[in-house]
């Protein structure tokens, strides 16, 4: 693995621009090689050889540090694509992310471990999308694909087939096809199950289904999920709209041919994150007499 660190992220965040100069100083002190996303280099003391266009960073880096939050890490995962470069997420927001492993202070305290390669790695399933039988290399998702209604005052009908087996027609506001990583995102908000992120399954979760018999389904990761739209809809990937859909079009979602490697420094336990994020085990409020 290359010893070069790739520095990418949401450079619109003020904390990013506050953190990067100090990080670069620490990396230079340790004689560590790095490349910074060239679009983020304005006003930062870096040489030409220490910057690179974001799409080229995975070609030279052995580890990409993604600065921002879970959304930034999702975009980084799609940008890196099939380069198989591990991503270490650094959270620059106030909350605890499901995907980001460190906050800014912890990053500086962990630099020696990062540079020595003392990291944990998890392979996370990725999804790819097809529309009407055509594969689009940009239709990738680490969390989920969503077929969403563009007319919320009307019920959307979505015919679902798993491989060659018809399943049902969901009458709902939309449908989420999620990875285990995405089980704690939109799918969870829509009533889907929480799944350990390293399992090989795909989740199909309806959004506000019209009847209570319309339930989420978990299928094996080697299956394909076909969704035929009856009405106007939009296809999103990891929360970003990517393609409008019209009645009769079919979306196919299946496991991508590659996975995303999420790096960690602490070996943070998934259930610890759930307890912290969902406040499981917190003491219930008491009523004053």
């Amino acid at each position: 693995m290359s010893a070069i660190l790739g520095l990418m992220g949401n450079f619109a965040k003020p904390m990013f621009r506050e953190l990067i100069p100090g990080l670069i100083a620490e990396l230079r002190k340790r004689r560590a090689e790095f490349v910074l996303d060239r679009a983020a280099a304005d006003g930062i003391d870096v040489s030409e050889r220490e910057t690179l266009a974001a799409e080229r960073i995975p070609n030279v880096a052995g580890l990409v540090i993604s600065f921002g939050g879970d959304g930034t890490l999702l975009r980084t995962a799609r940008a890196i694509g099939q380069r198989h470069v591990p991503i270490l997420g650094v959270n620059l927001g106030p909350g605890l992310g499901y995907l980001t492993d460190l906050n800014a202070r912890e990053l500086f305290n962990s630099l020696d471990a990062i540079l020595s390669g003392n990291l944990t790695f998890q392979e996370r399933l990725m999804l790819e999308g097809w529309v009407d039988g055509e594969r689009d290399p940009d239709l990738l998702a680490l969390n989920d694909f969503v077929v969403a209604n563009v007319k919320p005052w009307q019920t959307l009908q979505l015919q679902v087939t798993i491989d060659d087996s018809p399943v049902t027609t969901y009458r709902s506001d939309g449908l989420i096809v999620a990875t285990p990583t995405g089980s704690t995102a939109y799918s969870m908000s829509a009533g889907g199950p929480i799944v350990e992120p390293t399992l090989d399954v795909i989740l199909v979760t309806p959004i506000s289904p019209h009847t209570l018999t319309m339930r989420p389904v978990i299928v094996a990761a080697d299956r394909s999920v076909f969704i035929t739209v009856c009405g106007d809809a939009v296809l999103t990937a990891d929360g970003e709209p990517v393609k409008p859909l019209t009645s009769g079009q079919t979306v196919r979602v299946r496991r991508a041919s590659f996975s995303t490697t999420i790096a960690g420094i602490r070996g943070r336990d998934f259930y610890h994150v759930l307890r912290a994020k969902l406040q499981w085990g917190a003491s219930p409020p008491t009523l004053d007499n």
Side-chain angles (χ1 to χ4, degrees):
M1 185 173 75
S2 169
I4 299 175
L5 288 181
L7 308 180
M8 302 174 66
N10 185 353
F11 48 85
K13 287 182 175 289
M15 187 177 289
F16 179 88
R17 305 203 70 81
E18 294 170 10
L19 177 150
I20 286 296
L23 175 62
I24 288 175
E26 289 297 322
L27 292 175
R28 287 172 175 161
K29 187 186 301 182
R30 291 167 170 80
R31 300 183 182 278
E33 291 188 272
F34 67 90
V35 286
L36 174 66
D37 182 349
R38 185 163 290 154
D42 285 349
I44 296 175
D45 181 22
V46 286
S47 67
E48 181 69 18
R49 68 177 184 82
E50 291 173 327
T51 67
L52 207 58
E55 64 272 15
R56 295 183 57 198
I57 287 178
N59 296 336
V60 300
L63 174 72
V64 167
I65 303 181
S66 172
F67 297 90
D70 283 356
T72 303
L73 194 147
L74 291 170
R75 287 190 291 273
T76 303
R78 295 200 304 275
I80 285 177
Q82 303 186 44
R83 263 71 70 85
H84 301 288
V85 181
I87 305 170
L88 176 65
V90 178
N91 187 19
L92 300 183
L96 172 68
Y98 285 104
L99 297 175
T100 51
D101 192 68
L102 303 171
N103 60 36
R105 178 180 54 81
E106 292 166 336
L107 171 65
F108 283 90
N109 293 338
S110 303
L111 268 183
D112 290 332
I114 293 169
L115 294 174
S116 65
N118 187 17
L119 299 167
T120 62
F121 299 97
Q122 281 191 350
E123 295 297 319
R124 301 291 184 92
L125 183 150
M126 292 281 290
L127 296 174
E128 65 179 21
W130 301 51
V131 177
D132 289 342
E134 294 186 6
R135 181 178 180 272
D136 184 335
D138 294 327
L139 282 184
L140 299 170
L142 175 57
N143 260 0
D144 51 44
F145 283 107
V146 178
V147 177
N149 198 351
V150 296
K151 297 178 180 178
W153 57 91
Q154 296 179 1
T155 299
L156 185 64
Q157 294 188 47
L158 300 166
Q159 298 174 0
V160 175
T161 300
I162 306 297
D163 288 343
D164 297 323
S165 300
V167 178
T168 188
T169 296
Y170 285 103
R171 293 170 175 84
S172 63
D173 286 344
L175 197 68
I176 305 163
V177 183
T179 66
T181 299
S183 72
T184 51
Y186 194 4
S187 178
M188 181 177 71
S189 300
I194 295 173
V195 179
E196 288 191 0
T198 55
L199 293 181
D200 277 350
V201 294
I202 296 173
L203 291 71
V204 181
T205 306
I207 305 167
S208 301
H210 187 256
T211 61
L212 293 178
T213 56
M214 299 286 99
R215 307 306 301 165
V217 178
I218 299 176
V219 302
D222 59 355
R223 301 277 200 171
S224 288
V225 179
F226 294 87
I227 307 161
T228 300
V229 180
C230 300
D232 293 328
V234 61
L235 178 64
T236 72
D238 287 341
E240 298 185 7
V242 290
K243 192 177 289 289
L245 300 171
T246 57
S247 189
Q249 288 192 288
T250 297
V251 176
R252 178 189 185 187
V253 179
R254 71 175 190 180
R255 179 183 198 154
S257 60
F258 59 93
S259 58
T260 288
T261 304
I262 302 295
I265 195 70
R266 294 176 293 175
R268 192 171 54 164
D269 178 71
F270 174 64
Y271 294 102
H272 168 76
V273 177
L274 285 184
R275 290 193 300 272
K277 286 288 287 185
L278 303 180
Q279 297 185 350
W280 286 352
S283 298
T286 58
L287 298 177
D288 294 331
N289 292 329

